[in-house]
Amino acid sequence: MSTASKVTLASTSMGAVAIIIMVHYQQKAEKTAMHAGVIRDMEQQKIKKERQADFAMQRALEEEYKKVQSVGEGS
């Protein structure tokens, strides 16, 4: 094998290994980002449910207070 062919083989092999390493790194980074998105979505859903529960409780209290107190329109 000539020196030129050895250099070509070595450089293409190193290039292929570098590409494989980069692809694996990108896949791990994407997986981490996607997992963070799922966690963020779960937290947002939890907050939304809490707000809806608070709103329902406030609505129930409002209805209860309307029964007890007279609320007039206008001043």
Side-chain angles (χ1 to χ4, degrees):
M1 226 156 84
S2 68
T3 305
S5 61
K6 288 180 185 178
V7 169
T8 303
L9 177 63
S11 63
T12 55
S13 297
M14 288 178 14
V17 169
I19 290 171
I20 291 170
I21 291 171
M22 285 255 300
V23 167
H24 283 288
Y25 174 76
Q26 286 178 333
Q27 286 178 342
K28 286 182 182 180
E30 286 178 1
K31 184 178 178 180
T32 303
M34 288 173 63
H35 184 66
V38 170
I39 290 174
R40 185 179 62 246
D41 288 345
M42 289 172 57
E43 289 173 355
Q44 288 176 348
Q45 288 176 357
K46 178 183 168 190
I47 291 170
K48 184 177 179 181
K49 285 180 183 179
E50 289 173 355
R51 287 182 181 163
Q52 287 177 341
D54 287 343
F55 180 75
M57 185 173 37
Q58 288 296 325
R59 177 67 69 170
L61 284 172
E62 179 183 4
E63 292 299 322
E64 184 179 327
Y65 291 150
K66 282 183 179 180
K67 289 178 186 175
V68 176
Q69 300 172 357
S70 63
V71 178
E73 295 292 326
S75 339

